[in-house]
Amino acid sequence: MENVNSAIETLVQSSNTYFLLIGAVMVFAMHAGFAFLEVGTVRHKNQVNALVKIITDFAVSCIAYFFIGYWIAYDTTFFASASELSANNGYDLVKFFFLMTFAAAIPAIISGGIAERAKFYPFLLASALIVAFVYPFFEGIVWNGNYGIQTWLEKSTGAQFHDFAGSVVVHGVGGWLALVGVYLLGLRTGRMKDNKLIAFAPSNIPFLALGTWVLCIGWFGFNVMSAQSMDGISGLVAMNSLMAMVGGIIAALLFGKNDPGFIHNGPLAGLVAVCAGSDVMHPIGSLFVGIVAGWIFVSLFTRIQRSSKIDDVLGVWPLHGVCGAWGGIAAGIFGLESLGGLGGVSVIAQVVGTVAGIIVAIIGGLLVYTLVKSFSTIRLSEEEEHKGADLSIHRIGSVGND
């Protein structure tokens, strides 16, 4: 009997490890989606830079999170023997991999906002600092109960801040951090002509669409695998993610007037918004959340295209920042039993947690970018920007130097 119990325990451990590993790989693949979404949106002279930024940000994020960020968030380090680290089939190591792919999404989100005029190494340094200090500070508060804030919220409102898969922790924080960087960089050269703002059309709709498809597929690993174990897996999460995604598409189609750029960002808006409450909402509620998110993205991105202060190339602030905030609050509304949800949420706690995430992102962004600016410029020169980041930084264009 003891042998049977041991075998069952080993099977459960190995199954959980494999389950989370598949999730980590799916979220890792989403970074290709971030890359191609940016490649398809920026002008041809900045496509190589978009690809390079995403993969190098991922590497830098991994190092920063491994040595500092994970320690801050979960009070866990990897300064132990390999035999200790590989206990329980290495589940703790795979958990790091999974959560690191979330952390690395922050610089990938920021990358789309600051595209076409940001210097490479200063923002790479900023990515490292954000993943090492800013993101894990808030991540630890929400997902590890650090500093007793979740306990205080539960006592005060009857529920903790609920963010199952990171509408606010990942997307909201990333989007509001991007807003700070976008504001500090200012308009791209050429956006203002004859005292009027002009828009730059996406360079490659097929690449943009490919990025969206890869992100949508990987997102089911992002959301469903946030359970982090086989016994926590829920078809409700998958169904809610699906309904919010299609809600975002329909809204973007209608409000975006058939524009392919809007239509391919619509599902992402819905998926961003549903992350927080995907485990507690009813599918019809998720559909509504996705529809509202699609409308938010189209309306707000259209508005900021006329702003002389905010030149957000991919619209990452409305997509991740604002739709993420909407998702955080929506979890407290549509997660209520009275609206068909599973309950256990509080609107007040969701508002407090969402606002806290925004504040952490803005203050953290100002601190990081101010520090980086203190010893380096963060923007390409006018000549470098005119030439394009590909040739100015990487010395090669997307189709070679012919």
Side-chain angles (χ1 to χ4, degrees):
M1 191 65 180
E2 186 176 340
N3 290 337
V4 172
N5 289 336
S6 178
I8 292 174
E9 184 178 349
T10 300
L11 180 61
V12 170
Q13 289 174 350
S14 59
S15 297
N16 286 337
T17 301
Y18 184 68
F19 170 78
L20 199 55
L21 177 61
I22 295 300
V25 171
M26 290 181 72
V27 183
F28 177 34
M30 289 176 69
H31 290 263
F34 283 121
F36 279 101
L37 190 69
E38 185 171 338
V39 167
T41 305
V42 299
R43 289 168 289 176
H44 290 98
K45 61 184 180 180
N46 298 298
Q47 290 180 332
V48 171
N49 181 244
L51 293 169
V52 173
K53 279 191 300 177
I54 300 297
I55 198 166
T56 52
D57 272 336
F58 187 88
V60 167
S61 296
C62 181
I63 298 299
Y65 198 62
F66 182 85
F67 286 105
I68 304 173
Y70 199 67
W71 181 20
I72 290 174
Y74 300 101
D75 195 25
T76 300
T77 66
F78 298 96
F79 301 109
S81 67
S83 61
E84 292 177 271
L85 294 176
S86 59
N88 298 323
N89 299 98
Y91 176 83
D92 291 338
L93 297 178
V94 174
K95 181 180 177 181
F96 163 79
F97 181 16
F98 181 69
L99 292 172
M100 185 278 295
T101 59
F102 279 50
I106 300 289
I109 291 167
I110 295 170
S111 174
I114 63 171
E116 300 202 309
R117 77 277 201 201
K119 279 199 167 183
F120 182 61
Y121 282 106
F123 271 92
L124 202 60
L125 173 60
S127 296
L129 293 172
I130 286 167
V131 174
F133 299 103
V134 179
Y135 169 73
F137 171 74
F138 189 65
E139 176 192 19
I141 289 174
V142 177
W143 287 343
N144 198 46
N146 293 355
Y147 312 113
I149 294 175
Q150 287 282 40
T151 302
W152 171 76
L153 271 176
E154 187 170 16
K155 289 179 179 178
S156 303
T157 69
Q160 296 186 357
F161 173 59
H162 186 87
D163 192 357
F164 179 69
S167 284
V168 178
V169 174
V170 179
H171 299 285
V173 168
W176 288 89
L177 277 164
L179 176 64
V180 178
V182 165
Y183 182 81
L184 292 175
L185 284 170
L187 290 176
R188 284 168 287 172
T189 302
R191 282 293 316 276
M192 187 70 73
K193 190 173 183 180
D194 298 327
N195 293 321
K196 292 183 179 180
L197 281 167
I198 63 170
F200 297 140
S203 62
N204 192 311
I205 295 296
F207 273 163
L208 187 157
L210 174 63
T212 291
W213 278 104
V214 173
L215 282 166
C216 286
I217 293 168
W219 221 296
F220 286 86
F222 195 99
N223 284 2
V224 175
M225 269 70 168
S226 284
Q228 298 186 24
S229 65
M230 291 287 284
D231 61 349
I233 193 171
S234 171
L236 182 64
V237 176
M239 186 65 176
N240 283 336
S241 300
L242 177 66
M243 295 304 284
M245 182 187 77
V246 299
I249 295 171
I250 297 302
L253 171 66
L254 296 177
F255 295 107
K257 301 176 181 178
N258 304 327
D259 183 284
F262 284 139
I263 292 170
H264 284 94
N265 276 283
L268 307 183
L271 286 163
V272 164
V274 81
C275 287
S278 58
D279 63 326
V280 295
M281 294 192 295
H282 189 281
I284 296 176
S286 296
L287 176 63
F288 183 78
V289 169
I291 290 171
V292 172
W295 170 77
I296 287 173
F297 174 73
V298 172
S299 301
L300 193 51
F301 187 68
T302 300
R303 183 174 298 237
I304 65 173
Q305 283 294 301
R306 298 191 290 268
S307 169
S308 61
K309 301 292 184 182
I310 303 173
D311 187 7
D312 186 345
V313 180
L314 268 68
V316 297
W317 174 56
L319 180 65
H320 296 274
V322 181
C323 288
W326 157 239
I329 296 169
I333 301 171
F334 295 96
L336 296 171
E337 291 185 56
S338 58
L339 291 176
L342 297 182
V345 293
S346 159
V347 177
I348 296 175
Q350 294 305 115
V351 171
V352 171
T354 299
V355 172
I358 293 171
I359 291 172
V360 168
I362 291 175
I363 294 177
L366 287 171
L367 290 174
V368 168
Y369 296 134
T370 300
L371 176 62
V372 173
K373 280 184 69 177
S374 67
F375 56 86
S376 173
T377 56
I378 61 173
R379 179 165 178 156
L380 295 173
S381 68
E382 187 173 341
E383 181 182 351
E384 290 172 327
E385 191 179 339
H386 177 74
K387 188 189 297 184
D390 293 357
L391 293 177
S392 298
I393 298 172
H394 309 290
R395 305 293 186 263
I396 189 169
S398 58
V399 291
N401 291 325
D402 295 339

